[in-house]
Amino acid sequence: MPSISNVERLEELRDSQQNADTGLAAASMSGVELVAQSTAGIAPSAVMVSGATLVAASASAGTLYSYAISLCVLLLVGWCVSRAARLRPGEDLLSHITAAFGRAVGFVGSTGLAFGYLLISVGCVAQFSQYAKPLLGVAPPASAGVPATSISVTVVLEIVCVLCAAWMMIRGVRISAWTGVVLEVLSIGAILVVLTMVLLRHGFSLAPLMPTGITMQQVVSGMVLATLGFVGFESAACLSVEAKDPQRTIPRAVTGSALLAGALYLYGSYAQIVGFGGADNLAADATPLNTLADGLGVHWLGLAIDLGAVASNFACVAGSLTAASRVLRSMGESQLVHSKLAATHPIRKTPHVAIILLSAAALIAALGLGVSGINELDVYSYTGTMGTFGYMIAYMLMGLGIPILVRRLAPQTSVGVAAIIGLTATGCLAYVFYRNVYPIPDWPADVIPWIFLAVLLAAAAWYVAGPARIARRQTRESSLAADPAPEPAR
């Protein structure tokens, strides 16, 4: 139980949150809307469409184990995020990490998280284009393979996706959250119909649950892309200022969205492995759900899945960039980046400058990768893998930081449980990262970790150069103030 001084500290934090003019729509989002935000950030239906085939390519018959272990690890991370939300209500992940380790580590962790959100949105923009083209009749059905259409069609679709998402995010966080969850419910419904029909036709099998010949390396390799399916579950914590009763609603949103996604992924990957007669056959198909729908003789369900994938990827673009904009706004408010990024719309109460900048970056990256000739599924795989590393950095810092926060803010509470959970989550994520660097994977997977490391080093260099920039600006301002005003001509 927290001490009296800790209770008083929490009351002060709550009062300061209510009295501070953050520029955001403070205490406007209910618990249901926070769940909607985290669900939109995860985009479970988009992951169910293509995630299992990507994980199976690395984990083979260990696909279900990759998902199950990833879920357990991220639930530990969710516990750390939830504990921090209870100790420091109204604060986001940047603030939690900074409170534990200082501004320098907070900046690196926030950079990793924002980078992860941005790259996930780039992959979802590409997937939006891939699944929209068959619906518009400008490409064969997705189950026929990756369609070879004019690059101009891809450009137009990706521009429409990002512009519509940016407009919705600027209009209001509640609008984007509700739009995302409605689209997710519709698309998940169509997917569950196909998966259930597959199991009814093929029957239940214990083979995917008790595979033979799998190795730990396969399971761990699959965990990066399995973890990709969950990242974004903590995005509700980025909206702590806009949350009602954040001590209660944020932990429920974080844990609930991870459990929901985990249940869907385990059921979806199991049904797809059964439907294809094995994980290796699943890994060879770029659009497994469409193939299964065609095999069932219900082609219209394949089109429904395409529509659901379009809706889910759009929701993920909006959800990911919404969370990223809050991270960037917090960094601007803390003067870790340019202070203009902390600006909020005077009417809509949204960080419109950060939203516009991130949307432009996501669009440029998606168009650049598309023009270079990389197909949409590979764009999703490459950007998703690199983005997952960004999330993992923030998650590991939260795991390492939660014992420190518990010791400082709840001194009467045992720090042992927090230390065990935090260190376990951090150790598991660090091991997953290590096993994806060594043994050296094939190209281009071998260069992805080093590109991410270069981004972190660039961020660290930016932070180190920050005080020098501030000192030079202060020197110029001081010298201008010290110079006497010129005397008027006589």
Side-chain angles (χ1 to χ4, degrees):
M1 185 175 186
S3 64
I4 298 298
S5 61
N6 186 50
V7 172
E8 293 174 350
R9 189 179 293 110
L10 293 179
E11 292 294 335
E12 292 174 0
L13 285 169
R14 195 176 297 111
D15 292 340
S16 64
Q17 177 193 358
Q18 293 174 349
N19 296 330
D21 182 14
T22 62
L24 299 173
S28 63
M29 297 188 70
S30 66
V32 175
E33 289 167 334
L34 288 172
V35 173
Q37 164 60 33
S38 281
T39 304
I42 298 173
S45 58
V47 177
M48 293 173 74
V49 168
S50 58
T53 188
L54 294 174
V55 175
S58 298
S60 188
T63 297
L64 286 176
Y65 287 91
S66 293
Y67 272 120
I69 297 174
S70 296
L71 172 60
C72 293
V73 172
L74 291 179
L75 284 176
L76 296 179
V77 175
W79 185 91
C80 297
V81 175
S82 300
R83 191 75 175 95
R86 292 189 180 98
L87 290 172
R88 309 180 70 248
E91 301 294 336
D92 55 18
L93 293 183
L94 165 61
S95 177
H96 297 325
I97 295 173
T98 301
F101 298 108
R103 284 168 58 86
V105 178
F107 177 74
V108 174
S110 300
T111 301
L113 191 60
F115 188 65
Y117 284 129
L118 176 62
L119 287 184
I120 295 300
S121 67
V122 172
C124 287
V125 169
Q127 290 265 280
F128 175 92
S129 170
Q130 177 184 355
Y131 286 95
K133 285 184 279 192
L135 296 175
L136 298 177
V138 296
S143 57
V146 179
T149 57
S150 171
I151 190 63
S152 60
V153 176
T154 300
V155 169
V156 171
L157 287 172
E158 292 183 350
I159 289 175
V160 168
C161 173
V162 174
L163 288 182
C164 290
W167 176 82
M168 192 173 65
M169 288 185 287
I170 293 174
R171 288 279 298 176
V173 64
R174 297 181 67 193
I175 295 174
S176 61
W178 275 113
T179 301
V181 77
V182 169
L183 294 176
E184 280 296 324
V185 168
L186 294 175
S187 55
I188 288 173
I191 292 171
L192 290 179
V193 169
V194 172
L195 295 175
T196 303
M197 291 177 67
V198 167
L199 289 178
L200 291 176
R201 168 172 289 191
H202 293 272
F204 291 87
S205 171
L206 294 178
L209 303 176
M210 297 183 296
T212 59
I214 63 171
T215 66
M216 180 59 69
Q217 172 63 28
Q218 288 177 312
V219 174
V220 174
S221 296
M223 282 182 65
V224 170
L225 287 170
T227 301
L228 166 62
F230 293 95
V231 294
F233 80 106
E234 81 301 322
S235 61
C238 296
L239 279 67
S240 55
V241 173
E242 293 143 300
K244 296 178 182 177
D245 192 9
Q247 282 181 287
R248 181 175 59 89
T249 55
I250 287 179
R252 290 182 179 180
V254 169
T255 304
S257 59
L259 286 172
L260 173 63
L264 290 172
Y265 298 159
L266 289 172
Y267 180 72
S269 55
Y270 170 81
Q272 290 177 70
I273 291 172
V274 170
F276 277 91
D280 292 335
N281 294 331
L282 170 62
D285 195 302
T287 54
L289 288 176
N290 298 80
T291 302
L292 291 174
D294 290 344
L296 292 168
V298 282
H299 178 66
W300 63 271
L301 272 178
L303 295 176
I305 290 172
D306 286 347
L307 181 60
V310 169
S312 181
N313 280 289
F314 177 81
C316 187
V317 172
S320 297
L321 293 182
T322 292
S325 67
R326 270 57 180 184
V327 175
L328 209 58
R329 177 195 164 275
S330 294
M331 295 172 74
E333 195 173 46
S334 302
Q335 297 186 348
L336 294 172
V337 294
H338 201 289
S339 59
K340 287 186 178 180
L341 292 175
T344 54
H345 196 284
I347 299 175
R348 302 298 177 186
K349 303 296 183 181
T350 52
H352 60 296
V353 176
I355 289 172
I356 292 172
L357 177 63
L358 289 165
S359 299
L363 180 59
I364 291 171
L367 292 177
L369 291 170
V371 171
S372 67
I374 303 174
N375 68 63
E376 289 94 337
L377 185 62
D378 286 340
V379 170
Y380 179 79
S381 176
Y382 299 155
T383 59
T385 299
M386 194 182 305
T388 300
F389 292 147
Y391 286 100
M392 288 169 64
I393 289 293
Y395 294 167
M396 287 189 285
L397 290 175
M398 275 303 309
L400 293 173
I402 195 62
I404 299 173
L405 295 178
V406 170
R407 186 184 62 188
R408 291 177 181 172
L409 297 179
Q412 301 304 315
T413 303
S414 174
V415 76
V417 174
I420 292 172
I421 293 177
L423 292 176
T424 300
T426 302
C428 291
L429 291 172
Y431 181 71
V432 171
F433 185 87
Y434 165 74
R435 295 303 292 179
N436 280 269
V437 176
Y438 184 84
I440 299 174
D442 296 331
W443 191 91
D446 60 333
V447 300
I448 288 177
W450 304 111
I451 295 174
F452 173 70
L453 180 61
V455 171
L456 286 187
L457 291 176
W462 171 270
Y463 179 84
V464 170
R469 291 195 305 272
I470 295 173
R472 287 196 298 270
R473 185 174 68 245
Q474 291 175 343
T475 301
R476 287 195 301 269
E477 293 173 352
S478 299
S479 62
L480 290 174
D483 290 340
E487 295 184 3
R490 296 181 180 177

